[in-house]
């Protein structure tokens, strides 16, 4: 497996024959080929498609086809990468990660059902959605939105919890009541646990925003549903279907609906400007505390 991670990000992700994952800058230090376009894994190294130099997981050149001395500058920057709960998470910043995303127990959950957007926006705008209570009603038609707990921040983590109702159909029900527990880590990773209490259905959503080039963000969203303990509660006609099968069908339908929700935000994100001093009003949600928390992710020059 060799994958060019993102066009603007110029990094390449690969897994060696023994299973080690690596994330390197994409351009070969020899004469500049893109290792993600035609590069091949050879044992524990990545072979450049242009002249065949090979690089290990730390980005050091370990061989050339000429067999002579390896140039001392034949070294590529490598970046930390983790594998957790079905995700490959790369560190976009410089240096070593300043925090770790906790791994999730996926026992009893469906696989992730995913969707992606390539957007003209910034990860901070996307994460701000989770505390922008006013837009939940105005953009997404949520009703009776109320906080279940005050916004909590702890270093790189932010947690917000709400209850809401949704008049649009979900899983066959015309109206649902749900509780949303948002765990935002940094500006690029959010786990949103949504319990549809009115149906006895538990879901997990991921919001993964990666900055690519200036002004652009690659947004992946994903959805998993916990195996349904009482399918008959979702709909009487489903009482005999297996809970795991139903969960998968629901995850597949729910990611489409979730992508539709995000699509409602997209034209606003892509056209909006940045308001450094927003004219906040009562009912807005904790946007001020969120922005103070977010400042930690911008290194001071
Ligand atoms: S450009 Fe990579 S080996 Fe020459
Ligand atoms: Fe939104």
């Amino acid at each position: 497996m060799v994958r060019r991670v993102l066009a603007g990000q110029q990094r390449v992700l690969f897994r060696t024959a023994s299973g080690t994952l690596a994330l390197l800058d994409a351009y070969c230090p020899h004469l500049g080929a893109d290792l993600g376009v035609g590069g091949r894994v050879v044992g524990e190294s990545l072979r450049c498609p242009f002249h065949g130099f090979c690089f290990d997981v730390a980005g050091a050149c370990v061989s050339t086809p000429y067999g002579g001395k390896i140039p001392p500058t034949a070294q590529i920057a490598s970046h930390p990468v983790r594998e957790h709960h079905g995700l490959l998470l790369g560190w976009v910043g410089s240096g070593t990660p300043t925090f770790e995303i906790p791994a999730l127990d996926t026992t009893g959950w469906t696989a992730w059902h995913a969707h992606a957007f390539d957007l003209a926006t910034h990860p901070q705008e996307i994460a701000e959605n989770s505390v922008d209570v006013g837009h939940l009603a105005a953009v997404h038609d949520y009703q009776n939105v109320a906080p279940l707990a005050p916004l909590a921040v702890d270093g790189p983590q932010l947690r917000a919890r709400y209850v809401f109702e949704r008049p649009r159909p979900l899983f066959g029900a015309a109206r649902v009541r749900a509780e949303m527990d948002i765990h935002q880590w940094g500006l690029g990773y959010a786990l949103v646990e949504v319990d549809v209490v009115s149906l006895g259905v538990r879901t997990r959503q991921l919001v993964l925003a990666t900055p690519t080039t200036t002004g652009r963000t690659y947004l992946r969203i994903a959805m998993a549903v916990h195996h349904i303990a009482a399918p008959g509660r979702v709909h009487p006609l489903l009482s005999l279907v297996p809970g795991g099968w139903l969960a998968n069908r629901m995850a597949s339908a729910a990611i489409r609906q979730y992508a539709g929700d995000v699509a409602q935000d997209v034209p606003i994100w892509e056209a909006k400007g940045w308001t450094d001093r927003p004219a906040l009003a009562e009912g807005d949600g904790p946007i001020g505390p969120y922005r103070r928390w977010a400042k930690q992710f911008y290194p001071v020059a």
Side-chain angles (χ1 to χ4, degrees):
M1 174 192 81
V2 181
R3 282 186 59 188
R4 199 166 199 279
V5 180
L6 292 165
Q9 207 178 351
Q10 301 161 353
R11 289 184 186 173
V12 63
L13 178 73
F14 67 101
R15 193 189 290 276
T16 68
S18 72
T20 306
L21 267 180
L23 183 63
L24 304 181
D25 277 358
Y27 294 125
C28 179
H30 178 222
L31 283 163
D34 186 331
L35 296 160
V37 179
R40 279 195 299 118
V41 173
V42 178
E44 293 305 296
S45 66
L46 178 61
R47 185 178 186 277
C48 179
F50 204 2
H51 311 91
F53 285 32
C54 289
F55 300 87
D56 67 13
V57 294
C61 179
V62 290
S63 68
T64 75
Y66 315 133
K69 185 169 176 286
I70 293 171
T73 54
Q75 169 75 43
I76 309 174
S78 72
H79 305 278
V81 60
R82 307 278 189 268
E83 189 166 12
H84 282 324
H85 45 273
L87 307 180
L88 303 177
L89 299 164
W91 181 247
V92 173
S94 57
T96 53
T98 54
F99 61 92
E100 296 285 343
I101 305 292
L104 281 177
D105 184 359
T106 54
T107 312
W109 290 82
T110 67
W112 296 108
H113 294 240
H115 190 87
F117 299 84
D118 185 5
L119 300 171
T121 188
H122 189 282
Q124 184 167 329
E125 297 280 13
I126 295 169
E128 190 166 293
N129 247 232
S130 59
V131 294
D132 182 347
V133 174
H135 101 289
L136 295 176
V139 176
H140 303 301
D141 298 330
Y142 288 16
Q143 295 176 350
N144 301 320
V145 182
L148 283 169
L151 182 82
V153 296
D154 181 10
Q157 187 188 17
L158 175 145
R159 190 164 176 206
R161 297 175 60 205
Y162 306 101
V163 61
F164 63 92
E165 289 176 6
R166 218 177 121 117
R168 282 190 290 151
L170 181 70
F171 305 146
R175 179 183 195 86
V176 296
R177 183 169 177 276
E179 294 179 5
M180 178 163 60
D181 190 352
I182 301 163
H183 307 258
Q184 179 80 39
W185 286 86
L187 296 177
Y189 178 103
L191 166 70
V192 184
E193 297 175 294
V194 180
D195 285 3
V196 186
V197 281
S198 55
L199 296 177
V201 174
R202 293 165 60 205
T203 75
R204 283 174 171 169
Q205 299 164 14
L206 292 171
V207 187
L208 308 168
T210 305
T212 51
T213 52
T214 303
R216 295 207 74 86
T217 294
Y218 195 77
L219 174 65
R220 282 190 184 82
I221 57 171
M223 170 81 63
V225 174
H226 195 270
H227 292 187
I228 310 297
R233 201 171 146 199
V234 178
H235 194 286
L237 290 176
L238 296 171
S239 54
L240 294 179
V241 306
W245 177 88
L246 181 59
N248 251 308
R249 294 296 297 264
M250 289 174 107
S252 163
I255 187 64
R256 285 196 295 276
Q257 193 160 71
Y258 186 27
D261 282 2
V262 172
Q264 293 175 316
D265 289 306
V266 166
I268 295 174
W269 287 336
E270 295 204 308
K272 79 185 287 295
W274 170 254
T275 47
D276 208 22
R277 291 172 168 267
L280 294 175
E282 203 178 328
D284 264 330
I287 291 173
Y290 161 77
R291 288 198 175 184
R292 283 194 289 283
W293 169 83
K295 279 188 180 159
Q296 68 182 295
F297 304 111
Y298 298 89
V300 179

